[in-house]
Each structure stands twice: as C-alpha cells, then as structure tokens.
Amino acid sequence: MGNEESSPVDESRPPQTLSERTVKALADYILSGKVSKIVVMTGAGISTSAGIPDFRSPETGLYANLARLNLPYAEAVFDIAYFRENPEPFYALAHELYPGKFRPTVTHSFIRLLYDKGLLLKLFTQNIDCLEREAGVPDDKIVEAHGSFARQSCIDCTRPYPREDIERHINAKEIPRCPVCKGLVKPEIVFFGEQLPAAFFENRTLPMQADLCIVLGTSLSVQPFASLPGMIRESTPRLLINKERVGGLGSGTDDVLLLEDCDSGVRKLAKACGWLEELEALWSKTAPKAAAEVAKASSGLPKTKDEALNDEIDKLTREVDDALNLSKRHEEKVRGEKTSGTSSSRSARKTSSPTSTDPGNLHESADGNLNHIFMPRTVTATLAPADSLHPVDEAKKDITASGGDDKQ
Ligand code: CNA
C-alpha cells in the first residue's frame, strides 16, 4: 500500500510509533505483538450500509428526511421535552429502526474480529441500533454512550419495562405506558436534554491506556463523545475511516486517514493484516439466511437463478470495494485543509477540532456529570431546511447563546 492510503496533514513531522502513516505500517504495528488494547469509537456511518440512515449526510440522512413526521424541527424527534408532549413521531421512527430488522455490516464484524483476537479494549459507540451486539461483541466490551434499544423504562417513575411488551407495542404502532404510574415508556436512548449513561463516565479515561485507536463512521460533532479521540496519547496511532475528515484527526504524528466507506476501509486493514478471509467468514455468519443457505448447500440442492445472481452481485461488490481506492480522491481535499491552517501540535490533538468538540470545553452539569450537549435551538414554527440543521453549527450557536449552559 502506498502513501495514498493515508493522508497525513503535516508531512514534516515524522511518525513516532508507526514506520509511516499508511495502512500497511498500521498492519505491521498490529501484527508486531505490541498491540493488545485497541479502543474503537463508532457512529452512525458504520450502519448506513445496513440500511439505517445516519443523521447528517445530505439528502440520505435522517434529519433530511423527517418532514413526513411533521416535526417543528428535525431534532425534536429525540428531544425529551418534545417527547413528553408528543411521543408519536419518536415511536413512528422506532417502528422503522427497531433492532431485528437490520443485518450487522462487515464493519461490525471487524470489531467482533478484534475482540476474537483478544485485541479489543473497549468499543465506544454512539449508535442505538444494537448491531455491535448482534455481530457478537460482548456487552462488557461495549459502552453505548447514547444508550440503545437494549433496555427501556418509564420516564417518570424509571421502572424498567419488559422487552417483549415494548416490542409488541412498537410492532402494533402503539405508545407504551407504565403499568404502575401510566407515565410514558421510552427505550433508554439518550435524548437531547438527558444525561449520558454512567458507563460512559466510568470508562471515559480508558482511551488513555489504548495502544491503537480506530474511529469509524462518525462526524464527531456530539459532545462529550467527540472528546474521546483527544484522550489518546500523542504517540499512539489513531486510524480514522470515514467519508470525511472529522474532529481534527490527521493532526497527530501517527494518525492515518482512510477517507472512504467504512466497509471498504476495514476490508483494506483486514487484508493488510492477512485477516480478510476470516473477516468475510465471520460476517457471512450474520446473514439471516446464512444457516438456511449452508443447509441448502450441504443438501446438494442446486441454487435458483436469483440466488446465483445474488451471489455473483455480492462477489462483484466485494471485488469493486477492494479495487476502488477512494482515498486518492480525498487526499487532495485533506491537503487543501492543511494549507487552510490546520495545526498539528500535541495541543492541536485536543484543540484543532471545532469548538463544540474541544475537550477543554466540556460542560459539566451541577452534579459533575456531562450532558448530551447537542441541544436543538428554540422551537420554530416550520421545519428548517436540512442544511441549516448541522449539529456543529447548531451546538455552537446554542453554547454561545446560552453562555455554555447546556440545559435550555
Ligand atoms: P452523524 O453526525 O450522522 O455522522 C455520520 C458520519 O459518518 C458522517 O461524517 C458521514 O460522512 C459518515 N458516513 C456515513 N456513511 C458512511 C459510510 N458508509 N462510511 C464511512 N463514513 C460514513 O452521526 P454520528 O454518529 O457522528 O452522530 C451521533 C448521533 C447519531 C448519535 O446520537 C446517534 O445516536 C445517532 N444515530 C445513530 C444511528 C444508529 O444507531 N445507527 C443512526 C442515526 C443516528
């Protein structure tokens, strides 16, 4: 692999740990035996190929497609105050997104592979779709920083609510209520205005122990999660696989950027490590029809025309994924960003990201905890155009307007 695989921002500063800032060098480092504590940080971009939209991608993102729910502003669907008044839009969305309808992606299986190899220290995910669990990453290795659909409770008396009951309600498109106090029941997804789970704060400094950090499919625009990559030690390599450069990654001496699709990026890394076949085998086990197909193959029954065609399409897609090197296209963009003034000092690791992702700017609440600070602006009468809903801008405006107080 050549240098085009990664896009170092400051080529005058040599790497401290890697031999060079490439996927090949990263693979050599992983295989050297010096790596046993990988911290992975993920966002909605690792699940888009499963069919779950992210929030902010223009046109395909969830926020760009919420008009049908008649919301006063897009983020209202995850706003606890709005939910109390009008829970229907959230439950309409929950009906579409509820776990069980989607297959983990090859990126989820890659994280599972790291676990199987004894290399995963912790996965910090912002995702609520539970696909990491479905890929077989064990519960004690996952910090679901924004909660998930895995548990649900009453928003008034906090009593846990049975899984099978919420599933029944969501399938029937009904709003579940607490059998005791009649309060609204909500999956324990962190809404704007709610605190992050205790597990996030208990594990927040863990990235300091990492010997490798892999950031996948996130815009790193929601605090306090966005502060995590800044906790990684200066000489520890960080790999970003994302369609765009985010959070100041690329400013560290050992940062490697793959500005492309997560699935093709993890396949490249797996291939460089000699793990590609293992990864594909692991991922194939997540297919709902896998067991049936295996049974069919061993029974000697011929494949139908459609099945043969689908196999061929899957094979071609994988080959194209492998062959395409989208990084090249992005490299110029990153170099462009460099010349427009991105800093690359140690302090830059913590401060080169936008103000709202600056760890030094975390907003502590009165009880010492940190709230989920991407807060929507004041309710407006009409749905704002999608491009005015960018969270970084919105969060910055909120923080500025409220003097840093994240509760509005
Ligand atoms: P985001 O702000 O929508 O950013 C997604 C990032 O991923 C962007 O930088 C995209 O360019 C990038 N991206 C999208 N698709 C791909 C892909 N296939 N390969 C590589 N990069 C890609 O989402 P974040 O996770 O950063 O924001 C945090 C929010 C999103 C959390 O509160 C989540 O709960 C929430 N969310 C979660 C899900 C889910 O659980 N699957 C879905 C939508 C939103």
Side-chain angles (χ1 to χ4, degrees):
M1 318 248 165
N3 224 5
E4 75 284 355
E5 298 280 358
S6 67
S7 302
V9 166
D10 186 351
E11 286 163 21
S12 66
R13 299 171 71 221
Q16 302 179 53
T17 304
L18 299 175
S19 57
E20 53 181 7
R21 287 174 283 233
T22 63
V23 170
K24 165 82 172 63
L26 207 51
D28 290 345
Y29 174 58
I30 293 171
L31 299 175
S32 70
K34 291 179 193 153
V35 175
S36 61
K37 288 183 251 170
I38 302 181
V39 167
V40 179
M41 302 169 187
T42 61
I46 72 164
S47 296
T48 51
S49 66
I52 306 174
D54 64 7
F55 275 179
R56 292 162 194 115
S57 285
E59 292 173 24
T60 55
L62 194 61
Y63 284 157
N65 286 287
L66 286 178
R68 66 202 154 84
L69 295 181
N70 283 328
L71 293 160
Y73 54 100
E75 295 89 338
V77 73
F78 295 116
D79 182 329
I80 190 67
Y82 184 81
F83 177 80
R84 280 184 181 281
E85 298 300 317
N86 187 7
E88 280 85 5
F90 168 75
Y91 270 103
L93 200 63
H95 180 77
E96 289 172 32
L97 296 182
Y98 203 71
K101 296 183 175 165
F102 302 94
R103 176 187 174 186
T105 66
V106 75
T107 303
H108 293 98
S109 291
F110 179 77
I111 302 167
R112 158 76 192 270
L113 185 64
L114 294 178
Y115 167 71
D116 286 353
K117 292 189 175 294
L119 299 175
L120 183 68
L121 179 61
K122 209 60 121 181
L123 163 66
F124 290 84
T125 181
Q126 297 165 96
N127 293 348
I128 55 177
D129 55 29
C130 298
L131 287 181
E132 302 88 354
R133 292 163 185 269
E134 285 185 37
V137 182
D139 186 64
D140 66 340
K141 288 287 173 186
I142 308 176
V143 175
E144 287 167 333
H146 296 168
S148 79
F149 279 104
R151 281 173 285 276
Q152 47 285 319
S153 52
C154 170
I155 62 169
D156 290 330
C157 72
T158 72
R159 274 190 184 80
Y161 189 77
R163 168 111 190 180
E164 53 279 12
D165 289 356
I166 198 165
E167 271 178 20
R168 196 165 30 80
H169 277 96
I170 286 180
N171 285 335
K173 299 189 178 177
E174 294 163 358
I175 311 292
R177 289 202 170 258
C178 173
V180 181
C181 77
K182 305 296 172 212
L184 284 163
V185 169
K186 177 176 90 50
E188 292 182 4
I189 293 166
V190 181
F191 275 27
F192 302 123
E194 292 189 310
Q195 289 203 341
L196 270 63
F200 178 82
F201 300 101
E202 286 158 14
N203 290 286
R204 202 172 144 224
T205 55
L206 208 56
M208 291 176 186
Q209 297 173 27
D211 40 36
L212 174 62
C213 169
I214 304 180
V215 180
L216 300 162
T218 170
S219 63
L220 286 180
S221 55
V222 180
Q223 282 288 15
F225 190 97
S227 67
L228 293 176
M231 303 246 177
I232 301 291
R233 283 168 301 174
E234 169 70 17
S235 57
T236 299
R238 302 186 298 184
L239 168 65
L240 170 71
I241 309 180
N242 202 53
K243 284 189 174 162
E244 54 184 343
R245 188 181 170 218
V246 293
L249 273 97
S251 61
T253 56
D254 291 76
D255 287 354
V256 178
L257 307 186
L258 281 178
L259 301 182
E260 60 182 88
D261 177 71
C262 284
D263 294 343
S264 73
V266 298
R267 280 192 169 111
K268 271 182 191 160
L269 180 57
K271 190 173 178 187
C273 290
W275 301 341
L276 191 55
E277 274 184 28
E278 225 176 317
L279 174 63
E280 298 296 354
L282 199 53
W283 186 51
S284 69
K285 287 186 194 156
T286 65
K289 283 195 238 147
E293 277 165 10
V294 170
K296 190 165 188 178
S298 56
S299 75
L301 288 175
K303 290 191 170 179
T304 66
K305 243 181 176 176
D306 279 355
E307 285 168 344
L309 186 64
N310 281 340
D311 283 356
E312 190 56 26
I313 291 170
D314 282 352
K315 188 168 155 265
L316 283 172
T317 309
R318 274 202 298 274
E319 283 170 7
V320 170
D321 270 358
D322 277 351
L324 275 178
N325 181 355
L326 298 175
S327 292
K328 230 175 186 171
R329 183 147 53 88
H330 288 284
E331 188 168 359
E332 279 178 17
K333 193 177 153 204
V334 174
R335 285 171 202 275
E337 283 177 28
K338 176 196 167 191
T339 51
S340 68
T342 309
S343 165
S344 59
S345 67
R346 168 70 182 131
S347 61
R349 172 163 282 198
K350 297 212 165 190
T351 57
S352 60
S353 46
T355 310
S356 66
T357 62
D358 174 358
N361 272 355
L362 298 179
H363 299 273
E364 303 273 349
S365 63
D367 59 5
N369 246 348
L370 291 158
N371 283 343
H372 192 199
I373 69 161
F374 167 43
M375 293 290 293
R377 303 181 74 192
T378 328
V379 176
T380 51
T382 53
L383 185 67
D387 64 356
S388 71
L389 292 171
H390 193 279
V392 177
D393 297 343
E394 292 300 302
K396 273 197 220 161
K397 282 178 198 160
D398 288 339
I399 292 163
T400 314
S402 62
D405 182 358
D406 51 9
K407 287 190 196 254
Q408 293 187 3

